[in-house]
Amino acid sequence: MIPPEQLQEIRDYLESSQNPLFFFDNDVDGLCAFLILRRAIGRGKGVAIKSFPELKEQYLKKVEELNPDAVFILDKPELSKEFVEGIEERGIPITWIDHHETKTSKEIIEKTSYYNSLPSAEPTTYIAQKIFNKQEDMWLAVIGCIGDAYMPDFAEKFSEQNPELLNSQLSAFDALHSNEIGKMIRMLNFGLMDSTTNVVNLIKYLFKAKNVYDLLEENKYTQQLHKKYSQLNEFYNKQVTKAETKFDPKSPVLFFSYSGNTSMSSEIANRLYYNHKDKLIIVAFRRPEKINISIRGKNALKVTKGAIKDIEYSSGGGHKEATGAMIPVDEFEKFKENITQLTP
């Protein structure tokens, strides 16, 4: 856990900024961390980061466009040298808050105010909630934490207030797939897959939302979110069903690949791992030039590192039991061979 004096430092940086720009990872943990901090100070713009695994130079365009006096980076494991030095040249301070292992060089990290909750690795949403401790934002904090498979210490209080949404006695991963809170997490993750205009409108609504039921209620502000959720949830369920029919039940590895216009390998892999906790789950989303891969299982991080170590232009990392990787499309067979050797 990040110590109280460091939480205070982050709070001071936030409160002293007049035009902050938040870059957050494009998932529910990154989104909820941003929302909590933005709601607390009442100002700032947010940009969802879609590059993997690092925050790349291309995002300097947003810095030029929005002219912030401070940059806050949330839930991103790597920063590119070009991005950090581009901001440094403009004289803008960077505060970087994360909970993953990083390969970013010490030289680049020292150009930022860097805060990381390792080794306990509480999600970025948890850190954001602890900075201001606003009870009215606890619902966002619970969504962000459970969405990242972490049951926070304030979940019991939330569960007492909303027993129909969450059983805090479950593990976060089980709650994600068996409690109503899981639907809200998928809604937000799927909502982030919408067009830029619709994502911006969703975020504006969430700045003002008072509780979790404002998300569940379908009205003129949430109509598009519910529509997108319905469309993508149908696709998600079809892919999970398809994967289940292709598995060899005797194999220790459950491997599923798919393609199309929608990448949701993380969500599909999570569901399959919930259904098969004794297996290593590998879900690959094939694009024309690269393949995005989500891996779930007891040794997911170790397997991920081993599977990509001899594949050029690959990247990967994450948590002990939940990781992501990216490989060139022509290295897919090599990747599968490596997996076979690592999981006899």
Side-chain angles (χ1 to χ4, degrees), residues 8 17 32 52 74 87 93 100 106 203 216 244 266 288-289:
Q8 184 60 51
S17 63
C32 288
F52 176 86
L74 308 173
I87 294 181
H100 303 92
K106 184 179 179 182
I203 288 172
L216 287 174
E244 292 281 6
S266 178
E289 297 181 354

Side-chain angles (χ1 to χ4, degrees), residues 119-136:
S120 50
E122 293 89 355
T124 314
T125 299
Y126 182 89
I127 300 167
Q129 179 64 9
K130 290 297 181 177
I131 292 170
F132 290 98
N133 275 316
K134 290 184 175 290
Q135 293 303 299
E136 60 266 34

